[in-house]
Structure formats: C-alpha cells, structure tokens
Amino acid sequence: MGNDEMSSLVDTSDEWIRQRSGIQRRHIASEAETTSVLGAEAARQALKAAGLAPDDIDLIVCATSTPDLTFPATATQIQMALGMSHGAAFDVQAVCSGFVFALATADKFLISGSHRSALVIGSETFSRILDWTDRATCVLFGDGAAAVVITAEPGAGTIADRGVLHTHIRSDGRHRDKLYVDGGPGSNGKVGHLRMEGREVFKHAVVNLADTVEHTLAATGLKGSDIDWFVPHQANKRIIDATAHKLGVPESRVVYTVQDHGNTSAASIPLALATAVGDGRIQRGQLVLVEGMGGGFTWGSALIRW
Ligand code: ACO
C-alpha cells in the first residue's frame, strides 16, 4: 500500500509521511495471511537458504506481538505448518525489539547445549491492531515476516568465530503508556489498538539504541568503525539516521528497508537482513550489528559474524 493510497483513508500526504518517517509503502496481509502463515513461509525460505530441513531444527522461537490467537503460541502453529512434531516452539513478546530478544533467547539455548539448531522468526500483522482513523500511527506500520537459522558449532570462543557473538537486552516498564495497545485478554477482553506518543518514543529510541550498541561494542572490544553492516530496526529513517550519527556509523554501512515496508515491528530486522544478504551486501565473515527498540520500553542489540 503506497502513501497515496494511505492519503485516501486519512488526512495525510505522501510528502508528510516521507519527510517524517522515510516510508514510501507498506504491505498489508490478506485475511487468510495470519502471523503464523507469514512466519511459516519465512521459516521455509530460511531453511532453504540454510540447506536444512525441518528435521534438522529442534527449536523455534517466534517474536510477535500480533499472534494468531491469544494462545497457543504462534510458534507452535508454524511448527505444525512445517510438519514438525519434535523439538520445542514458543513465542517471545518484546514488540519491535522482539527479534533481538528472540535471537538472544535462542542463542542462550544453543550455548547451553540443550538444543542444536534454531529457527528465529519475526512475524507481524500490525495492520490488525492499528486504528485506521488515527493518522499519527496508521501510516507508520506494516505487515511482514522473516527468519534466520542459527546452529550450534564448536568455536574458538573469540570474536573471529562465526555466529552470534554477543547480545544485550534491556527493558523499562515505566514507559508503558508511551507505546501500547489499549486491549488485552486480561484487561478489557478486546484486541485493542496501538497508541503512541510519537515524539516521546523518538527521544527515548535514539538514546536507548545508542546505549545498547555502545554496550555491545564495549563488551566485544570493538569500535563502530569495525562493524561492516549496521542493521537497525526499521521504524523511522530519522531514528536510524540519528542513531547512526550518534555512533559515528556512515550511511553507506547502514541497511535501510523502512521505505519499502514501514515498521513491521519484530519482522523488520530479519527483513532488512534478508534484503542485504539477498542483494550481496552482507558477505560471509562480515560483522553485522543489529539493534531495536519497542513498546515496554524494550531495547537491545546483537553482534553477529555472518
Ligand atoms: N499526516 C499529516 N500530519 C500528521 C500526521 C500524518 N500522518 N500525523 C501527525 N500529523 C500532524 C500532527 O497532528 C501535528 O499537527 P499539529 O502540529 O497541527 O498538532 C504535526 O503533524 C506534527 O506532529 P508530531 O507528532 O509532532 O510530528 P513529529 O515530527 O514528532 O513526527 C512521528 C511524528 C513520525 C510519529 C515521530 O514522532 C516519530 O517517528 N516517532 C517515533 C515513533 C516510532 O517510530 N514508533 C515506532 C514504534 S517504536 C520504535 O520502533 C522505535
């Protein structure tokens, strides 16, 4: 759905949306395309790219805030769609930081030795929780899904190893009212709509994202200039630019996809990874830094050697 189509629904314009967010279009799932349907398709593509079959996977972690149902977990519906009845599947809910939280969770399961290969999926149908009469929010979000496979392998224990090298996750529940959904099974029994204080979220995003990236760099002894690709959560081009500027990362090493799918919450980082791997920018052995922030507030980052 392009910005012009959006301006036929609410009092907005292509110019306003592009200037304030960098978004040019977003994708809206059809009625039959639930979060688990999108997530299962992303999982199939990730398995194909990894040269693995569902039998090789023993863990599925799905990051989503728009589950098909209140329960069971969307991850178990994806598990079923992949024809798997072994292993474990569960959801992680950290809104736009969901992928970083899911990756950190799966990584720790693999490090512990309890599981060997994980599908980490970000899948969302945010179009279903938007207030389509609120121009301040409905123009910013879209639907999508993407996935990665991570597999445990012995390494040297240094940053020369391939895979997830470091993860850092944070949350602060005091900011609930700045970004939330005004419904839920335990409160009013409704699905609810997304509510946001955009300016407040913007301010916190830049500070928190720079902080988590600096934490990850300090923990690994790296500098911003050592990172080959900076793959941020795709909420808003201005947030990405301001964070990259604060960290001294040049625009040429930042992956932007927000223009093509808006903010897809937990799906946005893996969608950006898939884009930059698909077009050959991210190469085997390169250092990739991902970061995200979302409702809660939650935020976090991960350093990956591809
Ligand atoms: N079209 C036209 N005008 C609009 C629209 C719209 N879609 N939405 C709001 N406006 C108007 C407002 O009504 C306001 O008008 P007024 O001055 O007459 O009252 C004016 O535009 C300015 O509104 P602001 O909210 O002050 O605009 P701002 O420059 O802060 O931009 C935005 C708004 C884009 C939401 C910005 O604050 C932002 O990006 N915040 C971060 C939100 C975000 O990314 N959230 C995602 C989830 S969290 C995360 O992922 C990091």
Side-chain angles (χ1 to χ4, degrees):
M1 179 191 276
N3 288 346
D4 286 335
E5 194 177 344
M6 196 57 86
S7 55
S8 68
L9 298 176
V10 286
D11 182 14
T12 189
S13 65
D14 176 50
E15 195 197 351
W16 193 96
I17 300 170
R18 275 183 200 241
Q19 243 178 32
R20 304 287 174 129
S21 71
I23 297 165
Q24 297 174 25
R25 62 190 71 83
R26 75 285 294 139
H27 299 263
I28 308 295
S30 69
E31 210 175 308
E33 289 171 319
T34 61
T35 297
S36 72
V37 170
L38 298 182
E41 181 52 28
R44 283 185 203 101
Q45 290 186 28
L47 285 171
K48 193 169 168 217
L52 295 174
D55 276 354
D56 301 316
I57 300 294
D58 54 6
L59 182 66
I60 300 177
V61 185
C62 179
T64 189
S65 300
T66 45
D68 291 12
L69 301 169
T70 301
F71 77 80
T74 299
T76 61
Q77 300 307 289
I78 295 173
Q79 180 192 25
M80 181 181 69
L82 296 177
M84 282 174 63
S85 53
H86 66 278
F90 59 88
D91 290 355
V92 162
Q93 209 269 50
V95 206
C96 299
S97 318
F99 182 75
V100 177
F101 276 60
L103 188 67
T105 305
D107 181 50
K108 283 169 175 45
F109 272 72
L110 264 50
I111 289 170
S112 79
S114 67
H115 292 75
R116 274 205 50 78
S117 276
L119 259 169
V120 183
I121 305 164
S123 187
E124 302 279 19
T125 47
F126 257 51
S127 62
R128 295 183 177 137
I129 55 164
L130 296 175
D131 175 350
W132 286 94
T133 64
D134 175 16
R135 67 177 182 173
T137 54
C138 73
V139 302
L140 300 173
F141 296 88
D143 301 336
V148 300
V149 176
I150 56 171
T151 299
E153 281 175 14
T158 69
I159 57 162
D161 287 343
R162 290 183 65 216
V164 180
L165 299 174
H166 184 79
T167 58
H168 177 243
I169 55 171
R170 284 292 323 276
S171 61
D172 184 348
R174 288 176 301 171
H175 302 289
R176 185 193 90 150
D177 293 347
K178 297 188 180 82
L179 180 54
Y180 68 104
V181 169
D182 60 3
S187 52
N188 57 8
K190 293 183 178 146
V191 172
H193 291 118
L194 183 149
R195 306 293 174 204
M196 177 171 74
E197 289 177 34
R199 273 192 190 187
E200 282 297 309
V201 174
F202 194 108
K203 277 194 292 194
H204 282 84
V206 177
V207 174
N208 290 342
L209 291 171
D211 182 68
T212 181
V213 171
E214 274 161 6
H215 195 284
T216 289
L217 290 176
T220 49
L222 295 169
K223 299 185 295 294
S225 53
D226 296 321
I227 304 301
D228 294 300
W229 294 104
F230 181 58
V231 185
H233 167 50
Q234 307 285 321
N236 184 312
K237 185 171 187 305
R238 286 159 59 215
I239 296 179
I240 298 174
D241 288 345
T243 310
H245 179 75
K246 207 160 187 272
L247 295 165
V249 178
E251 199 175 314
S252 57
R253 288 194 284 119
V254 181
V255 176
Y256 294 94
T257 50
V258 66
Q259 67 281 1
D260 293 323
H261 50 67
N263 183 348
T264 56
S265 189
S268 93
I269 294 172
L271 274 171
L273 284 172
T275 301
V277 170
D279 65 21
R281 272 178 290 174
I282 296 179
Q283 297 280 335
R284 188 185 170 102
Q286 287 188 324
L287 280 174
V288 178
L289 200 138
V290 305
E291 50 86 330
M293 143 134 182
F297 290 145
T298 55
W299 64 101
S301 57
L303 181 70
I304 303 159
R305 188 174 294 284
W306 203 257

